[in-house]
Every structure is written in C-alpha cells, then in structure tokens.
Amino acid sequence: MRCRPLFTLIPLLVSVLMAPAALGQDAGAPILAYHRFDPTSPGPTTITTPVFERQLDWLDAHDIKVVPLRSVVDAVRGGQWPAPGRVAAITVDDGHVSVYTQFYPIILRRHVPVTLFIYPSAISNAAYALTWEQLAEMVRSGLVDVQSHTYWHPDFRKERARRTPDDYRAFVNSQLVRSKATLEQHLGIKVDLLAWPFGIIDADLQAAAERAGYRAAFAYEGGWAAPGGPPYAIPRIPVSDRARDATFAALLTPAPTKKDQPR
Ligand SMILES: [Zn+2]
C-alpha cells in the first residue's frame, strides 16, 4: 500500500487551521436592511436619523466594520472574508427620496459604504422617489453602490397566480433583465446583485436570477449571511426605529447559522 505523500495533506491542514481566523467568526455577517429616513417621525419602514446615527455609533464602539455588500457576497460564495474582525453591511431598499436628503449626508460624513436596491420604474417618475441625478451623484461619491430591486417591484406571488406559466416566466425575466439594463445604462455601473421585492423567493425565481446574469440575490429577513449559504437567497436583517441600544445589540450579536431560508 502506498502512503499518501505529506504535501497533498498540507492544503487541507492549512485550510482547517486558517478557517476560524479567516472568517473572523463562524456565524457570518449581518446585512442590515433599511427603507426610509426622517429626522423626527418614525414609521413602519421609516427610521429616525438620530436612531440611525446611534446604530452607527454602536457599530463603531464595538469594532464592527461596515464593509461593501459585494465583499460579503464574495465570502458567501466561498471567497475570503472581507476583514479580519467582525463586519456588517448596510442596504437600503426602494429609493425613497429621504435616502438622498437624510441618509446620504450621514454616510458621506462618516464614510460608510452602502448598497441601494432600486426599482428603476419609479426613478425620476414617482413623487416619493429619487431622481437619476441624485442616484448618479451618490454613485460618484464612491460610497454608494446601486443594485437591482426588479423593474417595478411586483408581487411575484400575485403575478404567478394571474398569468399563464409561459407569460409568468417571461414577466419574471423582463423584470430582472430590464432593471439591470436600465440601471447600468443610466448610471454607467455594473449591476449583478438583486433584492427580492417583498422578500418573495422560490426555486424558480432563484434560477431566473442566475439566468438573467445576477451573481447573488437577497431575502428581506432570515438572520445572518453565512459562508456557503444559498447565493440567491442571502438573508438580511430588517432594522426599525425600535432597534435601539439592547435591541440593536441583539441583532448584531452572533447567531447560529440558519440553514432554512425564508419563503
Ligand atoms: Zn422593496
């Protein structure tokens, strides 16, 4: 019987020894999800700016580095962990105008990288939404990555129920392809990340996102993003105005990896 040469075991030993240090933690990383911002009035999806700033202070005080979402995606997909210690990522869905008027000045002052998930049909169109000029200005800062939230934010469950199977497949594809192409054309950026509207995800949608050229897609809830997790259903953590002090700390405390993805 031939012995296995020692050098063939070295990569295995190195990966076993290095894994915990490289990850920083086994639990993965929290990807925080926000919508709207207001100086004084909270709402179901509106956080007040003083509470948001306190959350950023808390991250600073606990040496949790806010990293670009894309670097967490790389780690989920088997790449290197973004930074040696604890990390978090910040995402904002829907493109409400307060993202520019309230949120952007804060992240600019603090130099925090963030990702906006945008559905382009509303941009420079709906009264509540951002304009293309505002998005372009934020992108130029180098801190703001703009990615896809489908073209017009449909409820895919309802659309599936009211369309024929072929029509539904074409509809899903057009929502994914048109959003990516429109954002790329208007902003001169690369779009390959997607947040599912209403957090609705199933196996067909995940396959459609991959076919449409996306590299990863995000749920709206479900806990922490973990290395090796499903790349087209990466969990996030919705953050509300009630997430103050101990409540916010609980969201940012390492939790067991969740194998089950939200539906
Ligand atoms: Zn949304």
Side-chain angles (χ1 to χ4, degrees), residues 94-95 117-132 135 147-154 171 174-175 178-183 186 197:
D94 292 355
F117 286 113
I118 298 294
Y119 56 101
S121 69
I123 301 304
S124 290
N125 188 15
Y128 60 82
L130 295 165
T131 65
W132 287 113
L135 278 175
Q147 297 292 316
S148 170
H149 198 25
T150 72
Y151 190 71
W152 56 255
H153 206 289
F171 172 76
S174 115
Q175 284 289 321
R178 200 171 167 202
S179 172
K180 176 172 159 60
T182 306
L183 292 169
H186 273 274

Side-chain angles (χ1 to χ4, degrees), residues 35 93-95 117 119 149 153 195-199 220 236:
H35 280 92
D93 289 9
D94 292 355
F117 286 113
Y119 56 101
H149 198 25
H153 206 289
W196 295 111
F198 308 106
Y220 182 54
R236 290 188 291 166

